[in-house]
Amino acid sequence: MTLGQTFDVLASEDAGAKKTYTISELAAEFGITPRTIRFYEDEGLISPARAGTTRIYSRQDRGRLILICRGKRLGFSLAEIKEFLDLYHTDPDQVGQMSFALDRARNRIAQLEAQLLDVQKTLAELREIESAMAAHLARHGAVPRGN
Amino acid sequence: MTLGQTFDVLASEDAGAKKTYTISELAAEFGITPRTIRFYEDEGLISPARAGTTRIYSRQDRGRLILICRGKRLGFSLAEIKEFLDLYHTDPDQVGQMSFALDRARNRIAQLEAQLLDVQKTLAELREIESAMAAHLARHGAVPRGN
DNA sequence: ATTAACGTTTACGTAAACGTAAAGTAAGGC
DNA sequence: GCCTTACTTTACGTTTACGTAAACGTTAAT
């Protein structure tokens, strides 16, 4: 049993939840193409089961895809996302491996905390711009009612 | 006078601040290469003055670079960053242009608010992993003192 | 006067992340 | 039995964001 099984995203046991998914189902759900999902597999980010040659995705696989897509939205490279995913199934018996993983986790945390500040700064600036523009348009634009 | 001049990043008037910069000064400051800065210029994200053929960067140019680098850290493409930068100098006299800009600003705000949530989720998960790993290592790893 | 350290343009090369055929297999409906 | 649909692999093409020379001009020091 790895660390992964102890967390939500990779192990939700919902009653009405489907057990498996096809590649095109997942592609549709996440707004990506089957090609993209296969590419992620080539890059080692996901390893679905097979029925013959056809890929069968489990709920855990779907959880990984959620994390992958989120990582992409945050601007991480696939290599970084892979590293992130690996944190979920670090073998607890390999102390050295676990130490390295802990290090990487802490680095990633620091990185995300910096990104959090960046997002907040940018949001603050954009909101300033937004209200300035809205105010300007309220005065000079829009022509609220024939004046 | 454009909206840009009304905001901090593009118009700080510090007393001890340098007035101009060379390309390699800025490259060093932001941890990028001159090639990269010239590429940003090719893409229309920045337009420094010239002394003959040599580029001379103003404090405003440096401000734009700050925003560009932050945008990159947030995972935006150069095209998106350009769109973002354009928000700063929307002509207040062009009502139509201003309306479109306001729209883009609001879209960008929504996008960043979503990203903020993503970052927070990811941070929460990573912190869970981190403490789980730290606890595990405290018990089985590290061998605190010969026991 | 030449060498070094900066700047320039032009242009080909490259890694990442897919897109886009092409060509084949396997299951289900009429 | 054939057609459609969804899956597969293989492989070349494309966009983005630069890296990396090559070849040249300008200033400053030796």
Side-chain angles (χ1 to χ4, degrees), chain B residues 48-70:
Chain B
R50 300 270 182 151
T53 66
T54 303
R55 277 164 259 251
I56 309 284
Y57 295 87
S58 67
R59 271 175 288 99
Q60 284 80 359
D61 292 326
R62 181 172 168 279
R64 291 178 75 89
L65 261 180
I66 292 178
L67 294 181
I68 292 168
C69 292
R70 204 167 68 193

Side-chain angles (χ1 to χ4, degrees), chain A residues 76 80 106-116:
Chain A
F76 290 111
E80 289 172 314
R106 286 176 172 160
N107 288 339
R108 186 58 59 89
I109 287 173
Q111 187 183 352
L112 279 167
E113 283 169 343
Q115 184 165 359
L116 189 64

Side-chain angles (χ1 to χ4, degrees), chain B residues 3-16:
Chain B
L3 266 179
Q5 272 98 54
T6 68
F7 294 114
D8 274 359
V9 204
L10 296 181
S12 61
E13 206 80 43
D14 282 60

